[in-house]
Coordinates of all heavy atoms in Angstrom, one line a residue:
M204 N -24.8 84.7 40.8 CA -24.0 85.0 41.9 C -24.4 86.4 42.5 O -24.7 87.3 41.7 CB -22.5 85.0 41.5 CG -21.6 84.9 42.6 SD -19.9 84.3 42.2 CE -19.4 85.7 41.1
G205 N -24.5 86.5 43.8 CA -24.9 87.7 44.4 C -23.9 88.8 44.6 O -24.0 89.7 45.4
V206 N -22.9 88.8 43.7 CA -21.9 89.9 43.8 C -21.7 90.5 42.4 O -21.9 89.8 41.4 CB -20.5 89.3 44.3 CG1 -20.6 88.9 45.7 CG2 -19.9 88.2 43.4
F207 N -21.2 91.7 42.4 CA -20.9 92.3 41.1 C -19.7 93.2 41.3 O -19.4 93.7 42.4 CB -22.0 93.0 40.4 CG -22.3 94.4 40.9 CD1 -22.1 95.5 40.0 CD2 -22.7 94.7 42.2 CE1 -22.4 96.8 40.4 CE2 -22.9 96.0 42.6 CZ -22.8 97.1 41.7
N208 N -19.0 93.5 40.2 CA -17.8 94.3 40.3 C -18.2 95.8 40.1 O -18.6 96.2 39.0 CB -16.8 93.9 39.2 CG -15.5 94.7 39.1 OD1 -15.3 95.5 40.0 ND2 -14.7 94.4 38.2
V209 N -18.1 96.6 41.1 CA -18.5 98.0 41.0 C -17.7 98.8 40.0 O -18.2 99.6 39.3 CB -18.3 98.7 42.4 CG1 -18.6 100.1 42.4 CG2 -19.2 97.9 43.5
M210 N -16.4 98.3 39.8 CA -15.6 99.0 38.8 C -16.2 98.9 37.4 O -16.1 99.8 36.6 CB -14.2 98.4 38.8 CG -13.4 98.7 40.1 SD -13.3 100.6 40.3 CE -12.2 100.6 41.6
E211 N -16.8 97.8 37.1 CA -17.4 97.6 35.8 C -18.5 98.6 35.5 O -18.6 99.3 34.5 CB -18.0 96.2 35.6 CG -17.0 95.2 35.1 CD -17.6 93.8 34.9 OE1 -18.8 93.7 34.5 OE2 -16.9 92.8 35.3
K212 N -19.3 98.8 36.6 CA -20.4 99.7 36.5 C -19.9 101.2 36.4 O -20.3 102.0 35.5 CB -21.3 99.7 37.8 CG -22.4 100.6 37.7 CD -23.2 100.4 39.0 CE -24.3 101.5 39.2 NZ -23.8 102.9 39.4
M213 N -18.8 101.5 37.1 CA -18.3 102.8 37.1 C -17.6 103.1 35.7 O -17.7 104.2 35.2 CB -17.2 102.9 38.2 CG -17.8 103.0 39.6 SD -16.5 103.1 40.8 CE -15.9 104.7 40.6
V214 N -16.9 102.1 35.2 CA -16.3 102.3 33.9 C -17.4 102.6 32.8 O -17.3 103.5 32.0 CB -15.4 101.1 33.5 CG1 -15.1 101.1 32.0 CG2 -14.1 101.2 34.3
S215 N -18.4 101.7 32.9 CA -19.5 102.0 31.8 C -20.2 103.2 32.0 O -20.7 103.9 31.1 CB -20.4 100.7 31.7 OG -21.2 100.6 32.8
D216 N -20.3 103.7 33.3 CA -21.0 105.0 33.6 C -20.2 106.2 33.2 O -20.7 107.2 32.8 CB -21.3 105.1 35.0 CG -22.5 104.3 35.5 OD1 -23.1 103.6 34.6 OD2 -22.7 104.2 36.7
S217 N -18.8 106.0 33.2 CA -17.9 107.2 33.0 C -17.4 107.3 31.6 O -16.8 108.3 31.3 CB -16.8 107.1 34.0 OG -17.2 107.0 35.3
I218 N -17.5 106.2 30.8 CA -16.8 106.2 29.5 C -17.3 107.3 28.6 O -16.5 107.9 27.9 CB -16.9 104.8 28.9 CG1 -15.9 104.6 27.8 CG2 -18.3 104.5 28.4 CD1 -15.6 103.2 27.4
E219 N -18.6 107.6 28.6 CA -19.1 108.7 27.8 C -18.5 110.0 28.1 O -18.1 110.8 27.2 CB -20.6 108.8 28.0 CG -21.4 107.6 27.5 CD -21.4 107.3 26.0 OE1 -21.1 108.4 25.3 OE2 -21.4 106.2 25.6
R220 N -18.4 110.2 29.4 CA -17.8 111.5 29.9 C -16.4 111.7 29.4 O -16.0 112.8 29.0 CB -17.9 111.5 31.4 CG -17.6 112.9 32.0 CD -18.4 113.1 33.3 NE -18.2 112.1 34.3 CZ -17.3 112.3 35.3 NH1 -16.6 113.3 35.4 NH2 -17.2 111.3 36.3
V221 N -15.6 110.6 29.5 CA -14.2 110.7 29.1 C -14.1 110.8 27.6 O -13.3 111.6 27.1 CB -13.4 109.5 29.7 CG1 -12.0 109.5 29.2 CG2 -13.5 109.5 31.2
L222 N -14.9 110.1 26.9 CA -14.8 110.1 25.4 C -15.2 111.5 24.9 O -14.7 112.0 23.9 CB -15.8 109.1 24.8 CG -15.2 107.7 24.7 CD1 -16.3 106.7 24.3 CD2 -14.0 107.6 23.7
R223 N -16.1 112.2 25.6 CA -16.4 113.6 25.2 C -15.2 114.5 25.2 O -15.2 115.5 24.5 CB -17.6 114.1 26.1 CG -19.0 113.8 25.5 CD -20.0 114.8 26.0 NE -20.1 114.8 27.5 CZ -20.9 113.9 28.1 NH1 -21.6 113.0 27.5 NH2 -21.0 114.0 29.4
E224 N -14.3 114.2 26.1 CA -13.1 115.0 26.2 C -12.1 114.7 25.0 O -11.1 115.5 24.9 CB -12.3 114.7 27.5 CG -13.2 114.7 28.7 CD -13.3 116.1 29.3 OE1 -12.3 116.8 29.3 OE2 -14.4 116.5 29.9
Y225 N -12.4 113.7 24.3 CA -11.5 113.3 23.2 C -12.3 113.1 22.0 O -12.5 112.0 21.5 CB -10.8 112.0 23.5 CG -9.8 112.1 24.7 CD1 -10.2 112.0 26.0 CD2 -8.4 112.3 24.4 CE1 -9.2 112.1 27.0 CE2 -7.5 112.5 25.4 CZ -7.9 112.3 26.7 OH -7.0 112.5 27.7
P226 N -12.9 114.2 21.4 CA -13.8 114.1 20.3 C -13.1 113.6 19.0 O -13.7 113.0 18.2 CB -14.2 115.6 20.0 CG -13.3 116.4 20.8 CD -12.7 115.6 21.9
D227 N -11.7 113.7 19.0 CA -11.0 113.1 17.8 C -10.8 111.6 17.8 O -10.5 111.0 16.9 CB -9.6 113.8 17.7 CG -9.8 115.3 17.3 OD1 -10.9 115.7 16.8 OD2 -8.9 116.0 17.6
S228 N -11.0 111.0 19.0 CA -10.7 109.6 19.1 C -11.9 108.8 18.5 O -13.1 109.3 18.5 CB -10.5 109.2 20.5 OG -11.7 109.2 21.2
C229 N -11.7 107.6 18.1 CA -12.8 106.8 17.5 C -13.7 106.4 18.6 O -13.4 106.1 19.7 CB -12.2 105.6 16.9 SG -13.5 104.6 16.1
Q230 N -15.0 106.6 18.3 CA -16.1 106.4 19.3 C -16.9 105.1 19.0 O -18.0 105.0 19.5 CB -17.1 107.6 19.4 CG -16.4 108.9 19.3 CD -16.2 109.6 20.7 OE1 -17.0 109.4 21.5 NE2 -15.1 110.3 20.9
C231 N -16.4 104.3 18.1 CA -17.1 103.1 17.7 C -17.2 102.1 18.9 O -16.5 102.1 19.9 CB -16.6 102.5 16.5 SG -15.2 101.4 16.7
E232 N -18.1 101.1 18.7 CA -18.4 100.2 19.8 C -17.1 99.3 20.1 O -16.8 99.0 21.2 CB -19.5 99.2 19.3 CG -20.2 98.6 20.5 CD -21.6 98.0 20.1 OE1 -22.2 98.7 19.3 OE2 -21.9 96.9 20.6
K233 N -16.4 99.0 19.1 CA -15.1 98.2 19.2 C -14.1 98.9 20.0 O -13.6 98.3 21.0 CB -14.6 97.9 17.8 CG -13.9 96.6 17.6 CD -13.6 96.4 16.1 CE -13.4 94.9 15.8 NZ -13.3 94.7 14.4
C234 N -14.0 100.2 19.8 CA -13.0 100.9 20.5 C -13.5 101.2 21.9 O -12.7 101.2 22.9 CB -12.7 102.3 19.8 SG -11.7 102.1 18.3
R235 N -14.8 101.4 22.1 CA -15.3 101.6 23.5 C -15.1 100.3 24.3 O -14.7 100.4 25.5 CB -16.8 101.8 23.4 CG -17.2 103.2 23.2 CD -18.7 103.2 22.8 NE -18.9 104.5 22.1 CZ -19.6 105.5 22.6 NH1 -20.2 105.4 23.8 NH2 -19.8 106.6 21.9
D236 N -15.3 99.1 23.7 CA -15.0 97.9 24.4 C -13.5 97.8 24.8 O -13.2 97.4 25.9 CB -15.4 96.7 23.5 CG -17.0 96.5 23.6 OD1 -17.6 97.2 24.3 OD2 -17.5 95.7 22.7
D237 N -12.7 98.1 23.8 CA -11.2 98.1 24.1 C -10.9 99.0 25.2 O -10.1 98.7 26.1 CB -10.4 98.4 22.8 CG -10.4 97.3 21.8 OD1 -10.7 96.1 22.2 OD2 -10.0 97.6 20.7
I238 N -11.4 100.2 25.2 CA -11.2 101.2 26.2 C -11.6 100.7 27.6 O -10.9 100.7 28.6 CB -11.9 102.6 25.9 CG1 -11.2 103.2 24.7 CG2 -11.8 103.5 27.1 CD1 -12.0 104.3 24.0
A239 N -12.8 100.1 27.6 CA -13.4 99.6 28.9 C -12.5 98.5 29.4 O -12.1 98.5 30.6 CB -14.8 99.1 28.7
A240 N -12.1 97.6 28.5 CA -11.2 96.4 28.9 C -9.9 96.9 29.5 O -9.4 96.4 30.5 CB -11.1 95.4 27.8
F241 N -9.3 97.8 28.7 CA -8.0 98.4 29.1 C -8.1 99.0 30.5 O -7.3 98.8 31.3 CB -7.5 99.3 28.1 CG -6.1 99.8 28.3 CD1 -5.0 99.1 27.7 CD2 -5.9 101.0 29.0 CE1 -3.7 99.5 28.0 CE2 -4.5 101.4 29.3 CZ -3.5 100.7 28.7
A242 N -9.1 99.8 30.7 CA -9.3 100.6 31.9 C -9.5 99.5 33.1 O -8.9 99.7 34.2 CB -10.4 101.5 31.8
L243 N -10.4 98.5 32.8 CA -10.7 97.6 33.9 C -9.4 96.8 34.2 O -9.3 96.4 35.4 CB -11.8 96.7 33.5 CG -13.2 97.3 33.6 CD1 -14.2 96.5 32.8 CD2 -13.6 97.4 35.1
N244 N -8.5 96.6 33.3 CA -7.3 95.8 33.6 C -6.3 96.6 34.5 O -5.5 96.1 35.2 CB -6.6 95.4 32.3 CG -7.2 94.2 31.7 OD1 -7.9 93.4 32.3 ND2 -7.1 94.1 30.4
Q245 N -6.5 98.0 34.4 CA -5.7 98.8 35.3 C -6.2 98.8 36.7 O -5.5 99.2 37.7 CB -5.7 100.3 34.8 CG -5.5 100.6 33.4 CD -4.1 100.4 33.0 OE1 -3.2 101.0 33.6 NE2 -3.8 99.4 32.1
L246 N -7.5 98.6 36.9 CA -8.1 98.7 38.1 C -8.3 97.5 38.9 O -8.6 96.4 38.3 CB -9.5 99.4 37.9 CG -9.5 100.8 37.3 CD1 -10.9 101.0 36.6 CD2 -9.2 101.8 38.3
K247 N -8.1 97.5 40.2 CA -8.5 96.3 41.0 C -10.0 96.2 41.1 O -10.6 97.2 41.3 CB -7.9 96.6 42.4 CG -6.4 96.3 42.6 CD -6.2 95.9 44.0 CE -4.7 95.6 44.3 NZ -3.9 96.8 44.5
P248 N -10.5 95.0 40.9 CA -11.9 94.8 41.0 C -12.4 95.1 42.4 O -11.7 94.8 43.4 CB -12.2 93.4 40.6 CG -10.8 92.7 40.7 CD -9.8 93.7 40.5
K249 N -13.5 95.7 42.5 CA -14.1 96.0 43.9 C -15.5 95.4 43.8 O -16.4 95.9 43.1 CB -14.2 97.5 44.1 CG -13.0 98.2 44.2 CD -12.2 97.9 45.5 CE -10.8 98.4 45.4 NZ -9.8 97.7 46.3
Y250 N -15.7 94.4 44.6 CA -16.9 93.6 44.6 C -17.9 94.1 45.7 O -17.4 94.4 46.8 CB -16.7 92.1 44.7 CG -16.0 91.6 43.4 CD1 -14.7 91.3 43.4 CD2 -16.8 91.4 42.3 CE1 -14.1 90.9 42.3 CE2 -16.2 90.9 41.1 CZ -14.8 90.7 41.1 OH -14.2 90.2 40.0
A251 N -19.1 94.2 45.3 CA -20.2 94.5 46.2 C -21.2 93.4 46.2 O -21.5 92.9 45.1 CB -20.8 95.9 46.0
T252 N -21.9 93.2 47.3 CA -23.0 92.2 47.2 C -24.3 92.8 46.6 O -24.4 94.1 46.7 CB -23.3 91.6 48.5 OG1 -23.6 92.7 49.5 CG2 -22.1 90.8 49.1
T253 N -25.1 92.1 46.1 CA -26.3 92.6 45.5 C -27.6 92.3 46.3 O -28.6 92.2 45.8 CB -26.5 92.1 44.0 OG1 -26.5 90.7 44.1 CG2 -25.4 92.6 43.2
H254 N -27.4 92.1 47.6 CA -28.5 91.8 48.4 C -29.3 93.0 48.9 O -28.7 93.9 49.5 CB -28.1 91.0 49.7 CG -27.4 89.7 49.3 ND1 -28.1 88.7 48.7 CD2 -26.2 89.2 49.5 CE1 -27.2 87.7 48.5 NE2 -26.1 88.0 49.0
K255 N -30.5 93.1 48.6 CA -31.4 94.1 49.0 C -30.9 95.5 48.8 O -30.3 95.8 47.8 CB -31.9 93.8 50.4 CG -32.8 92.6 50.5 CD -33.2 92.4 51.9 CE -34.0 91.1 52.0 NZ -33.8 90.4 53.2
G256 N -31.1 96.4 49.8 CA -30.6 97.8 49.7 C -29.1 97.9 49.8 O -28.6 99.0 49.5
E257 N -28.5 96.9 50.2 CA -27.0 96.9 50.4 C -26.3 97.5 49.2 O -25.3 98.3 49.4 CB -26.5 95.5 50.7 CG -25.6 95.4 51.9 CD -25.2 93.9 52.1 OE1 -26.0 93.2 52.5 OE2 -24.0 93.6 51.8
I258 N -26.7 97.0 48.1 CA -25.9 97.4 46.8 C -25.8 98.9 46.6 O -24.7 99.4 46.3 CB -26.6 96.7 45.6 CG1 -25.8 97.0 44.3 CG2 -28.1 97.1 45.5 CD1 -26.4 96.4 43.1
I259 N -26.9 99.6 46.9 CA -26.8 101.1 46.7 C -25.8 101.8 47.5 O -24.9 102.4 47.0 CB -28.2 101.7 47.0 CG1 -29.3 100.8 46.4 CG2 -28.3 103.2 46.5 CD1 -29.7 101.1 45.0
S260 N -25.8 101.6 48.9 CA -24.9 102.4 49.7 C -23.5 101.9 49.5 O -22.6 102.7 49.4 CB -25.4 102.2 51.2 OG -25.4 100.8 51.5
K261 N -23.3 100.6 49.4 CA -22.0 100.1 49.2 C -21.4 100.6 47.9 O -20.2 101.1 47.9 CB -22.0 98.6 49.2 CG -20.7 97.8 49.3 CD -20.2 97.7 50.7 CE -19.2 96.6 50.9 NZ -19.8 95.3 51.0
A262 N -22.1 100.5 46.8 CA -21.6 100.9 45.6 C -21.4 102.4 45.5 O -20.3 102.8 45.0 CB -22.6 100.5 44.5
Q263 N -22.3 103.2 46.1 CA -22.0 104.6 46.1 C -20.8 105.0 46.9 O -20.1 105.9 46.5 CB -23.3 105.3 46.7 CG -24.3 105.5 45.6 CD -25.6 106.1 46.1 OE1 -25.8 106.2 47.4 NE2 -26.5 106.5 45.3
C264 N -20.6 104.3 48.0 CA -19.4 104.6 48.8 C -18.2 104.3 48.0 O -17.2 105.1 48.0 CB -19.5 103.7 50.1 SG -18.0 103.8 51.1
L265 N -18.1 103.1 47.4 CA -17.0 102.7 46.6 C -16.8 103.7 45.4 O -15.6 104.1 45.1 CB -17.1 101.3 46.0 CG -17.0 100.2 47.0 CD1 -17.5 98.9 46.5 CD2 -15.5 100.1 47.5
E266 N -17.9 104.2 44.8 CA -17.8 105.1 43.7 C -17.1 106.4 44.1 O -16.3 106.9 43.3 CB -19.1 105.4 43.1 CG -19.6 104.2 42.2 CD -20.9 104.5 41.5 OE1 -21.3 105.7 41.2 OE2 -21.7 103.5 41.3
T267 N -17.5 106.9 45.2 CA -16.8 108.2 45.7 C -15.4 108.0 45.9 O -14.5 108.8 45.5 CB -17.5 108.7 47.0 OG1 -18.9 108.5 46.9 CG2 -17.2 110.1 47.3
Q268 N -15.0 106.8 46.5 CA -13.7 106.5 46.8 C -12.8 106.3 45.6 O -11.6 106.7 45.6 CB -13.7 105.2 47.7 CG -12.6 105.1 48.7 CD -12.9 103.9 49.5 OE1 -14.0 103.4 49.7 NE2 -11.8 103.3 50.0
Y269 N -13.3 105.7 44.5 CA -12.5 105.3 43.5 C -12.8 106.0 42.1 O -12.2 105.7 41.1 CB -12.7 103.8 43.2 CG -12.2 103.0 44.3 CD1 -13.0 102.3 45.2 CD2 -10.8 102.9 44.6 CE1 -12.5 101.7 46.3 CE2 -10.3 102.2 45.7 CZ -11.1 101.6 46.5 OH -10.6 100.9 47.6
S270 N -13.6 107.1 42.1 CA -14.0 107.7 40.9 C -12.8 108.3 40.2 O -12.7 108.3 39.0 CB -15.1 108.7 41.1 OG -14.7 109.7 42.0
L271 N -11.9 108.9 40.9 CA -10.7 109.5 40.3 C -9.8 108.4 39.7 O -9.3 108.6 38.6 CB -9.9 110.2 41.4 CG -8.8 111.2 40.9 CD1 -9.5 112.4 40.2 CD2 -7.9 111.7 42.0
D272 N -9.7 107.2 40.4 CA -8.9 106.1 39.7 C -9.5 105.6 38.5 O -8.8 105.4 37.5 CB -8.9 104.9 40.7 CG -8.1 105.2 41.9 OD1 -7.4 106.2 42.0 OD2 -8.2 104.3 42.9
V273 N -10.9 105.6 38.4 CA -11.6 105.2 37.2 C -11.4 106.2 36.1 O -11.0 105.8 34.9 CB -13.1 105.0 37.5 CG1 -13.9 104.8 36.2 CG2 -13.3 103.8 38.5
I274 N -11.5 107.5 36.4 CA -11.3 108.5 35.3 C -9.9 108.4 34.8 O -9.6 108.5 33.6 CB -11.6 109.9 35.9 CG1 -13.1 110.0 36.3 CG2 -11.3 111.0 34.9 CD1 -14.1 109.9 35.2
T275 N -8.9 108.3 35.7 CA -7.5 108.2 35.3 C -7.3 107.0 34.4 O -6.6 107.1 33.3 CB -6.6 108.1 36.6 OG1 -6.9 109.2 37.4 CG2 -5.1 108.1 36.2
A276 N -7.8 105.8 34.8 CA -7.6 104.6 34.0 C -8.3 104.8 32.6 O -7.7 104.3 31.6 CB -8.2 103.4 34.7
L277 N -9.5 105.4 32.6 CA -10.2 105.6 31.3 C -9.5 106.6 30.4 O -9.4 106.3 29.2 CB -11.6 106.1 31.6 CG -12.7 105.0 31.9 CD1 -14.0 105.7 32.4 CD2 -13.0 104.2 30.6
T278 N -8.9 107.6 31.0 CA -8.2 108.6 30.2 C -7.0 107.9 29.5 O -6.7 108.1 28.3 CB -7.7 109.8 31.1 OG1 -8.8 110.3 31.7 CG2 -7.0 110.8 30.3
L279 N -6.2 107.1 30.3 CA -5.1 106.4 29.8 C -5.5 105.5 28.7 O -4.9 105.3 27.6 CB -4.5 105.6 30.9 CG -3.0 105.3 31.0 CD1 -2.3 106.6 31.4 CD2 -2.6 104.3 32.0
A280 N -6.7 104.8 28.9 CA -7.2 103.8 27.9 C -7.6 104.5 26.6 O -7.3 104.0 25.6 CB -8.4 103.1 28.5
V281 N -8.2 105.6 26.7 CA -8.6 106.4 25.5 C -7.4 106.8 24.7 O -7.4 106.6 23.5 CB -9.6 107.6 25.9 CG1 -9.8 108.5 24.6 CG2 -10.9 107.2 26.4
E282 N -6.4 107.3 25.4 CA -5.2 107.7 24.7 C -4.5 106.5 24.0 O -4.1 106.7 22.9 CB -4.3 108.4 25.7 CG -4.8 109.8 26.0 CD -3.9 110.5 27.1 OE1 -3.0 109.9 27.7 OE2 -4.3 111.7 27.5
R283 N -4.5 105.4 24.7 CA -3.8 104.2 24.2 C -4.6 103.7 22.9 O -4.1 103.5 21.9 CB -3.7 103.2 25.2 CG -3.4 101.7 24.7 CD -2.0 101.7 24.2 NE -1.1 101.8 25.3 CZ -0.6 100.7 26.0 NH1 -1.0 99.5 25.8 NH2 0.3 101.0 27.0
V284 N -5.9 103.5 23.1 CA -6.7 102.9 22.0 C -6.8 103.9 20.8 O -6.8 103.4 19.7 CB -8.1 102.5 22.6 CG1 -9.1 102.1 21.4 CG2 -8.0 101.4 23.6
S285 N -7.0 105.2 21.1 CA -7.1 106.1 20.0 C -5.8 106.2 19.2 O -5.8 106.6 18.0 CB -7.6 107.5 20.4 OG -6.6 108.1 21.2
R286 N -4.7 105.9 19.8 CA -3.4 105.9 19.1 C -3.3 104.7 18.2 O -2.7 104.7 17.1 CB -2.2 105.9 20.1 CG -1.5 107.3 20.2 CD -0.1 107.1 20.7 NE 0.0 106.2 21.8 CZ 0.0 106.5 23.1 NH1 -0.3 107.7 23.5 NH2 0.2 105.6 24.1
Q287 N -3.8 103.5 18.7 CA -3.7 102.3 18.0 C -5.1 101.6 17.9 O -5.2 100.5 18.6 CB -2.7 101.4 18.7 CG -1.3 101.9 18.7 CD -0.4 101.0 19.5 OE1 -0.6 100.7 20.6 NE2 0.7 100.5 18.8
P288 N -6.0 102.1 17.2 CA -7.3 101.4 17.1 C -7.1 100.1 16.4 O -6.3 100.0 15.5 CB -8.2 102.4 16.4 CG -7.3 103.3 15.7 CD -6.0 103.4 16.4
R289 N -7.9 99.1 16.8 CA -7.7 97.7 16.2 C -8.5 97.5 15.0 O -9.1 96.5 14.8 CB -8.0 96.7 17.3 CG -7.0 96.6 18.4 CD -7.1 95.4 19.2 NE -8.4 95.2 19.8 CZ -8.9 94.1 20.2 NH1 -8.3 93.0 20.0 NH2 -10.1 94.0 20.7
H290 N -8.6 98.6 14.2 CA -9.3 98.5 12.9 C -8.8 99.7 12.0 O -8.2 100.6 12.6 CB -10.8 98.5 13.1 CG -11.3 99.7 13.8 ND1 -11.3 101.0 13.3 CD2 -11.7 99.9 15.1 CE1 -11.7 101.8 14.2 NE2 -12.0 101.2 15.3
E291 N -9.2 99.7 10.8 CA -8.8 100.8 9.9 C -9.7 102.0 10.1 O -10.9 101.8 10.3 CB -8.9 100.3 8.5 CG -7.8 99.3 8.1 CD -6.4 99.8 8.5 OE1 -6.0 100.9 8.2 OE2 -5.7 99.0 9.2
Ligands
ZN446 ZN1 -13.1 102.4 16.6

C-alpha cells in the first residue's frame, strides 16, 4: 500500500529522546514497544502517501505540526509503562 502513518515514524524517531529524560524507567524492548503502542493509541493516525518525493515534504510538514503532540503522548506513555511494566 502506498500510504504510511507518519505518527508511527515520529514515535519511533522520538522515543529515544523521551526515554533519555527518564533514565530510571525500564528501557528494554518490551517496554519500548508498550510505550510506542500506548503513545500511538493516544494519537490520531496521520497518513501520507509514499509516492516519489511527496513523502518527504508531506511528512516533514506533519512532523512540525504534530511533534508536540507526539512528545506529550510519549511522555505520558513512559510514565504509565514505567509505573507498571508488564514484567518483573
Ligand atoms: Zn522493561
Side-chain angles (χ1 to χ4, degrees):
M204 200 159 61
V206 295
F207 85 113
N208 181 4
V209 177
M210 289 303 185
E211 274 181 37
K212 180 181 173 290
M213 289 177 70
V214 163
S215 70
D216 286 354
S217 308
I218 196 163
E219 294 295 332
R220 188 148 59 98
V221 176
L222 277 171
R223 270 204 300 274
E224 310 273 325
Y225 292 86
D227 293 339
S228 77
C229 181
Q230 317 261 328
C231 81
E232 205 166 320
K233 215 171 201 172
C234 288
R235 274 167 205 253
D236 285 349
D237 282 346
I238 290 162
F241 187 89
L243 281 165
N244 283 334
Q245 312 287 303
L246 295 158
K247 282 210 180 80
K249 296 285 168 205
Y250 291 101
T252 57
T253 55
H254 299 298
K255 292 182 187 148
E257 224 179 288
I258 182 177
I259 317 273
S260 56
K261 189 84 159 277
Q263 275 174 354
C264 172
L265 287 168
E266 281 183 31
T267 316
Q268 213 172 331
Y269 295 107
S270 60
L271 197 67
D272 291 349
V273 170
I274 299 295
T275 306
L277 274 170
T278 303
L279 213 74
V281 170
E282 284 173 359
R283 165 72 66 92
V284 171
S285 67
R286 257 204 315 270
Q287 297 175 302
R289 290 196 302 158
H290 58 70
E291 291 309 310

